[in-house]
Amino acid sequence: MNVTIIEDENLTAKRLESLLHKYDPTIKVLARIPSVAEAVAWFDESPVPVDLVFMDIHLEDDLGFRIFEQTQLTTPVIFTTAYDEYMIQAFKVNSIDYLLKPINYDELVAAIEKYKSLKKQFGQTASTSAHDIETLLNLIGKSKQTDYKERFMITVGTKIRSIETGDIAYFYLEEKVVFLVTKDGLTLPVDYSLDKLTQILNPRQFFRISRQFLVSLPAIQTIHTFSAGKLKLDMIPKSRQEVFVSGDRMTEFKEWLGK
């Protein structure tokens, strides 16, 4: 089976590829693509047929749905995302299933088996049934989940730690890796970009002050004003880097402080 992974988080893409090979070592991942633009170009140029696509919805440049608008993509798709708000829209295109992150291996297997069953039954993939749509609507209606991420599962060596979002002071980017810092000073890498964190965290609790920092309000100890209105923040716990508010975010930051 030829598979393409469209995912802007490199570690997530690698983990998905690992899970696919766990299920079937003969699966060939043709490409791991991080953006809509690159996906459109790849599907237009690739001479190799693709059997199945795994697609994140929030990519680094746009929503994955834009790929369907710009290509003649008819390959079946399994969506992989941290959100459930796009569930129905996902099934209006040629989707087989919808997996919420972090991806569970058993659910991944079930999705692939569903794809195989549809292919065997129809000779090609079929659109989602009315029953699936009704089930999804019921799930959304009964959902008690909040709109924003409540905890992070962090792998440290052979252990997995659960970090509550309320225990996080700030996130920062260093050498292309994003780290979270907890209120008690623990620093751990996370498998999310700052762009994506901005989307999945409550904007009343966290603010992206620069390209390097995403901070929570309780973690700001002191705000220093410099010439031309430049702002420097003292953080708790103390940051190893100096923390400044970018000029283009200054107005929004002040508004955020006053909310």
Side-chain angles (χ1 to χ4, degrees):
M1 183 192 304
N2 289 337
V3 167
T4 297
I5 297 174
I6 304 176
E7 166 64 61
D8 62 349
E9 299 292 338
N10 187 48
L11 292 178
T12 300
K14 287 183 177 179
R15 179 175 180 274
L16 175 56
E17 184 170 355
S18 177
L19 291 177
L20 290 171
H21 288 155
K22 177 181 177 180
Y23 168 76
D24 182 355
T26 66
I27 288 178
K28 184 176 182 181
V29 176
L30 301 177
R32 296 200 303 260
I33 304 171
S35 68
V36 170
E38 290 180 53
V40 170
W42 190 86
F43 283 116
D44 285 344
E45 299 172 4
S46 177
V48 182
V50 182
D51 298 303
L52 186 60
V53 174
F54 288 86
M55 182 185 298
D56 187 13
I57 290 179
H58 279 274
L59 300 173
E60 64 182 24
D61 59 347
D62 208 336
L63 295 179
F65 299 118
R66 303 300 184 196
I67 296 171
F68 296 92
E69 298 174 359
Q70 301 176 50
T71 68
Q72 298 299 317
L73 180 62
T74 57
T75 304
V77 176
I78 294 176
F79 286 99
T80 60
T81 182
Y83 304 83
D84 61 6
E85 63 189 279
Y86 300 101
M87 192 175 288
I88 296 301
Q89 188 176 352
F91 279 92
K92 288 182 179 178
V93 294
N94 43 309
S95 173
I96 292 296
D97 213 332
Y98 188 107
L99 303 178
L100 290 176
K101 296 179 181 177
I103 296 172
N104 176 277
Y105 175 70
D106 292 336
E107 292 179 355
L108 173 65
V109 170
I112 297 175
E113 291 298 323
K114 180 180 178 182
Y115 156 73
K116 288 183 174 180
S117 176
L118 288 172
K119 186 175 182 180
K120 182 178 179 180
Q121 182 177 358
F122 297 99
Q124 58 183 0
T125 57
S127 60
T128 303
S129 68
H131 177 266
D132 286 332
I133 293 294
E134 182 180 356
T135 300
L136 291 171
L137 286 169
N138 289 335
L139 287 173
I140 292 173
K142 296 177 181 178
S143 176
K144 300 298 182 182
Q145 296 180 353
T146 60
D147 293 332
Y148 303 106
K149 195 164 182 66
E150 296 182 347
R151 66 184 58 84
F152 291 82
M153 304 304 293
I154 310 294
T155 301
V156 183
T158 59
K159 299 180 179 179
I160 297 179
R161 299 193 57 162
S162 176
I163 306 295
E164 298 290 328
T165 300
D167 293 331
I168 299 173
Y170 53 89
F171 298 84
Y172 69 92
L173 176 67
E174 185 174 76
E175 296 182 355
K176 298 183 179 181
V177 178
V178 175
F179 296 88
L180 67 76
V181 179
T182 64
K183 293 177 179 178
D184 58 4
L186 182 65
T187 300
L188 297 168
V190 294
D191 189 20
Y192 291 91
S193 66
L194 288 182
D195 284 341
K196 183 156 291 188
L197 287 169
T198 302
Q199 296 168 352
I200 64 178
L201 293 171
N202 190 334
R204 297 185 68 87
Q205 298 174 356
F206 290 89
F207 187 85
R208 179 80 176 274
I209 62 168
S210 67
R211 295 185 63 182
Q212 290 77 34
F213 279 90
L214 176 67
V215 304
S216 71
L217 186 57
I220 301 174
Q221 181 182 35
T222 311
I223 303 175
H224 302 276
T225 303
F226 289 82
S227 58
K230 188 174 183 180
L231 300 180
K232 178 182 177 182
L233 309 182
D234 291 336
M235 307 299 297
I236 303 176
K238 185 176 181 180
S239 170
R240 295 187 300 173
Q241 309 174 36
E242 290 191 320
V243 183
F244 290 96
V245 180
S246 296
D248 60 344
R249 292 179 168 88
M250 196 80 69
T251 300
E252 289 184 39
F253 175 68
K254 291 179 179 178
E255 293 176 352
W256 177 70
L257 289 176
K259 288 182 180 180

